[in-house]
Amino acid sequence: MTSETTQKLYYPSEEVVKNAAVSGMEAYKALCAEAEADYEGYWGKRAKELIEWQTPFTQVLDESNAPFFKWFADGKLNVSYNCLDRQVKNGLGDKVAMIFEGDKGDVTKVTYGDLLTRVSKFANALKSLGVKKGDRVVIYLPMSIEGVVAMQACARIGATHSIVFGGFSAQSLADRVNDAGAVVLITSDGQNRGGKALPLKAIADEALASGCPSIQKVLVVKRTGGETAMVEGRDVWADDIVAQQSDVCEPEWVEAEHPLFLLYTSGSTGKPKGVQHSTGGYLLHAILTMKYTFDIKPNDIFWCTADIGWVTGHTYITYGPLACGATEIVFEGVPTYPDAGRFWKMIQDHKVSVFYTAPTAIRSLIKASDTTPAVHPKNYDLTSLRILGSVGEPINPAAWEWYYENVGGSRCPIVDTFWQTETGGHMITPMPGATPLVPGSCTLPFPGIQAAVVDETGTDVPWGQGGILVVKRPWPSMIRTIWGDPERFVKSYYPADFQGKLYLAGDGAIRDKDTGYFTITGRIDDVLNVSGHRMGTMEIESALVAHEKVAEAAVVGRPDDLTGEAIVAFVVLKGARPSGDEAAKVVKELQNWVGQEIGPIAKPKDIRFGENLPKTRSGKIMRRLLRQLAKGEEITQDTSTLENPHILDQLK
């Protein structure tokens, strides 16, 4: 019996196939064959067609200094010009670029013409503060029009932006500012979330007070109107300085390899990695994936629910939709405020046609509609939808089917997209008008991406056998290096085990033995995926050990119905092992401490105390056993190599 007969396949409707950019499986296979036959030709042709170059490139790919690959290196362009000026020039000045909906439900529409004006003025404001090409600007803003404007303004003048998600702590912000050597910080008085105004500037002040010598100016955007302390000579209100600027700002034409942004991501060691992205290759993939994966059309209303603090918000809010001349939603709030029908109501109100969200959000909304029938999607008119998407982590089949039936009315293909901060855009994903869908599988590689599953030596494993996910050839939107640490880049992504020839994604995968479809099986390193966001276990361990009561800590993940993975910490205190109320009190204290050190997203769900951790005689912590304990499984394997097997009972 093949898996074909056990797996239900969901086929796109005739209508979807007929109108799609990639129409039917034959068209998909033809694109893959084109890339296979002439790899450089395939990417070069699309880069010429989809991007407006100020200086055309003559070389597509330069592999002379592998793995530091260069794409379109002698070409010059500007990303902001390609997103805004080009659309205005093509007659789309009056077309709505962004529909912003605030936390409280207020709606602001911004046309391409308006957006170009806003970005130009903001770019001139940055220039007046002395920001120039190649400088780094850190942006610590809520989801807002200003967030997108600030990013586009940096791109316009050739400054490299680095966004820090508004939920990160002062310490996390300071670390990133210092690593990037940023000259300006853009922040806001606060952010509105779930009906509450939360401070941001106060956290930024705390970060800067800990020592950020590179920062010269702080630009503060008004959002909540909350009380804000301003430091004389350093802090400037954005409104005041932007109002004085000209609305014309000539774009800075930069080399295709110029760093557009740095985005920090958790790795398996404690220190976050500054993933550096290029300008030309990144923009190409952002446009191409909008066209192929989301099948974007001129009349679409596109909504990606991610935050600009993550890569998804970079590629599929700030850059991809605008570079395609689309209309998109930017949403400040949370999916459960004022109630858990918020997403469905917004899809109904704004007639959203392409909707892109994360499995964690879908699972929490399933739960909400089970307990409160009034917020079930069936109570809303969702007929405008034509494509659904999923991002951030693998979606479990039950959530997929619920999403397909209840949100998409069993007519919208779901593009379950696998990609990473490092890849810049989709790597493995269905094509909505071509790929037969299997719930829980991200199906097949994006045309031109040579993904494969290999063993520890880098040899391909047969379909049906699990292994390590790799990419065999460089692609345009890939990470260029880790900022300031090229050695770590090589070690992390082009390891010696694979002769430095294969890109290591850090995930395990398996291909279906009949269809060749990929399913991602989880991380192969000490990185957890919590609600679609990567958290390095080492980073959380370091934060715990920094607390005065903690002697030692080990952090692992366990499966969680809602967030995909939950963080479990095993802790040895300096004093006696606590129990009962005392233990509960210390748990709370340590959770808050991690929240303060890294951000709320990193708080361990479960903390267990032991007099020691399970170690081998050579002193190595047996994390494999901790993973079993975290899941509540019986330890069946041999524990005779442990120095202290009795400790396992304490940690159950």
Side-chain angles (χ1 to χ4, degrees):
M1 186 167 147
T2 68
S3 58
E4 288 289 354
T5 48
T6 54
Q7 279 178 335
K8 183 175 174 197
L9 285 168
Y10 292 77
Y11 290 89
S13 68
E14 274 176 33
E15 190 187 4
V16 172
V17 174
K18 185 166 83 213
N19 298 315
V22 180
S23 172
M25 270 317 269
E26 288 315 309
Y28 165 76
K29 285 175 182 158
L31 287 170
C32 296
E34 182 192 342
E36 192 73 35
D38 177 8
Y39 193 68
E40 289 189 26
Y42 169 86
W43 288 111
K45 177 176 177 220
R46 283 152 185 86
K48 282 192 179 100
E49 283 170 1
L50 298 172
I51 291 176
E52 214 165 292
W53 296 85
Q54 194 247 1
T55 308
F57 57 88
T58 60
Q59 184 185 20
V60 175
L61 171 60
D62 175 359
E63 298 181 76
S64 59
N65 184 22
F68 299 94
F69 303 106
K70 291 185 175 147
W71 286 87
F72 322 117
D74 58 353
K76 281 191 165 179
L77 71 160
N78 181 282
V79 167
S80 173
Y81 176 89
N82 273 276
C83 292
L84 304 174
D85 308 60
R86 165 162 75 160
Q87 314 306 356
V88 172
K89 202 169 74 182
N90 292 341
L92 298 181
D94 292 335
K95 180 176 180 174
V96 173
M98 274 181 237
I99 303 170
F100 172 74
E101 179 161 321
D103 188 60
K104 299 182 180 84
D106 47 303
V107 174
T108 312
K109 294 185 174 178
V110 184
T111 65
Y112 273 97
D114 297 339
L115 195 53
L116 175 59
T117 302
R118 286 190 183 214
V119 167
S120 300
K121 289 180 85 144
F122 206 100
N124 286 329
L126 288 173
K127 282 199 290 209
S128 75
L129 297 177
V131 180
K132 51 190 191 310
K133 178 185 171 186
D135 283 344
R136 276 82 54 211
V137 173
V138 166
I139 300 176
Y140 187 55
L141 283 174
M143 276 300 290
S144 53
I145 300 169
E146 284 74 25
V148 175
V149 166
M151 293 166 82
Q152 286 274 356
C154 289
R156 195 161 191 87
I157 61 175
T160 302
H161 60 69
S162 185
I163 313 274
V164 178
F165 170 57
F168 273 138
S169 67
Q171 190 53 58
S172 297
L173 174 62
D175 290 347
R176 287 158 173 77
V177 164
N178 287 329
D179 191 79
V183 294
V184 167
L185 171 67
I186 304 173
T187 186
S188 140
D189 51 1
Q191 53 183 337
N192 298 313
R193 270 183 90 78
K196 294 190 206 57
L198 306 168
L200 261 188
K201 172 71 165 53
I203 306 172
D205 286 342
E206 188 188 332
L208 298 180
S210 67
C212 296
S214 60
I215 291 285
Q216 294 161 14
K217 292 283 182 193
V218 177
L219 202 51
V220 187
V221 172
K222 265 199 189 77
R223 180 67 196 134
T224 56
E227 248 184 72
T228 309
M230 298 290 276
V231 173
E232 188 73 32
R234 183 193 76 183
D235 300 355
V236 188
W237 284 107
D239 286 358
D240 296 349
I241 183 168
V242 168
Q244 303 163 15
Q245 307 301 322
S246 150
D247 58 6
V248 176
C249 173
E250 282 302 312
E252 178 78 42
W253 302 104
V254 300
E255 310 71 31
E257 282 296 319
H258 178 75
L260 176 66
F261 64 89
L262 311 175
L263 189 53
Y264 286 82
T265 181
S266 287
S268 49
T269 66
K271 185 174 164 27
K273 299 183 276 200
V275 171
Q276 179 180 322
H277 274 291
S278 75
T279 295
Y282 171 80
L283 182 65
L284 170 64
H285 206 57
I287 298 174
L288 201 55
T289 48
M290 284 295 305
K291 287 196 176 302
Y292 287 1
T293 312
F294 295 123
D295 191 40
I296 202 76
K297 301 277 190 266
N299 51 353
D300 273 321
I301 307 287
F302 176 83
W303 183 17
C304 162
T305 67
D307 188 284
I308 51 173
W310 310 110
V311 73
T312 306
H314 285 55
T315 309
Y316 300 109
I317 296 176
T318 300
Y319 294 119
L322 299 175
C324 292
T327 299
E328 62 171 334
I329 308 273
V330 175
F331 174 48
E332 177 178 41
V334 291
T336 49
Y337 176 81
D339 59 41
R342 181 73 183 264
F343 274 6
W344 320 134
K345 184 174 178 322
M346 283 179 63
I347 292 172
Q348 169 180 287
D349 290 353
H350 301 298
K351 303 207 170 8
V352 172
S353 52
V354 182
F355 179 64
Y356 193 35
T357 195
T360 298
I362 296 165
R363 287 192 292 266
S364 70
L365 297 172
I366 296 175
K367 210 166 156 184
S369 57
D370 285 348
T371 51
T372 316
V375 298
H376 192 286
K378 67 171 185 265
N379 299 313
Y380 299 84
D381 177 4
L382 307 180
T383 50
S384 57
L385 288 168
R386 61 183 197 90
I387 291 169
L388 300 174
S390 166
V391 60
E393 57 192 302
I395 181 167
N396 49 307
W400 190 103
E401 283 181 336
W402 184 89
Y403 190 30
Y404 184 79
E405 286 161 19
N406 293 285
V407 180
S410 303
R411 61 172 203 286
C412 303
I414 297 179
V415 289
D416 172 4
T417 59
F418 166 81
W419 60 296
Q420 302 169 305
T421 304
E422 292 88 343
T423 69
H426 304 151
M427 300 299 280
I428 307 175
T429 172
M431 300 283 112
T435 319
L437 304 171
V438 168
S441 164
C442 49
T443 68
L444 293 168
F446 188 85
I449 301 294
Q450 295 189 2
V453 181
V454 300
D455 62 16
E456 278 68 19
T457 64
T459 313
D460 281 67
V461 300
W463 288 8
Q465 225 175 293
I468 300 165
L469 181 66
V470 296
V471 184
K472 291 190 165 179
R473 294 280 283 126
W475 65 100
S477 63
M478 67 187 291
I479 173 174
R480 294 307 197 256
T481 185
I482 291 171
W483 179 256
D485 201 344
E487 274 169 47
R488 189 176 177 195
F489 164 71
V490 176
K491 214 160 101 192
S492 301
Y493 302 106
Y494 281 90
D497 300 353
F498 301 154
Q499 289 78 51
K501 297 248 186 292
L502 302 174
Y503 167 87
L504 175 68
D507 286 281
I510 184 165
R511 298 190 73 169
D512 183 272
K513 64 178 192 331
D514 300 311
T515 57
Y517 280 13
F518 285 78
T519 297
I520 307 296
T521 52
R523 298 288 302 174
I524 57 173
D525 55 11
D526 291 320
V527 175
L528 310 175
N529 192 331
V530 182
S531 301
H533 303 309
R534 273 172 30 186
M535 296 300 326
T537 53
M538 194 90 139
E539 198 176 352
I540 305 166
E541 286 170 14
S542 308
L544 283 163
V545 173
H547 188 281
E548 58 188 19
K549 290 182 182 170
V550 175
E552 209 173 5
V555 169
V556 298
R558 66 166 164 80
D560 184 90
D561 286 346
L562 195 61
T563 56
E565 248 184 321
I567 302 169
V568 182
F570 296 90
V571 172
V572 179
L573 296 178
K574 287 175 182 166
R577 178 176 173 234
S579 57
D581 287 352
E582 174 58 18
K585 196 167 123 214
V586 181
V587 163
K588 202 84 202 120
E589 187 179 338
L590 293 178
Q591 285 172 325
N592 291 338
W593 169 262
V594 171
Q596 184 191 317
E597 288 293 292
I598 304 173
I601 200 163
K603 283 183 184 177
K605 192 161 186 181
D606 185 2
I607 298 181
R608 303 180 194 181
F609 299 106
E611 282 157 18
N612 205 328
L613 295 172
K615 290 177 182 166
T616 60
R617 291 185 176 66
S618 62
K620 190 169 176 307
I621 298 174
M622 293 287 281
R623 292 171 189 274
R624 189 176 68 231
L625 295 175
L626 292 176
R627 282 193 197 97
Q628 278 187 288
L629 286 172
K631 284 180 193 162
E633 296 173 355
E634 279 305 308
I635 305 278
T636 50
Q637 64 204 64
D638 179 23
T639 55
S640 60
T641 56
L642 283 183
E643 185 188 16
N644 49 359
H646 67 279
I647 219 78
L648 296 173
D649 289 329
Q650 289 187 358
L651 298 168
K652 277 184 178 164

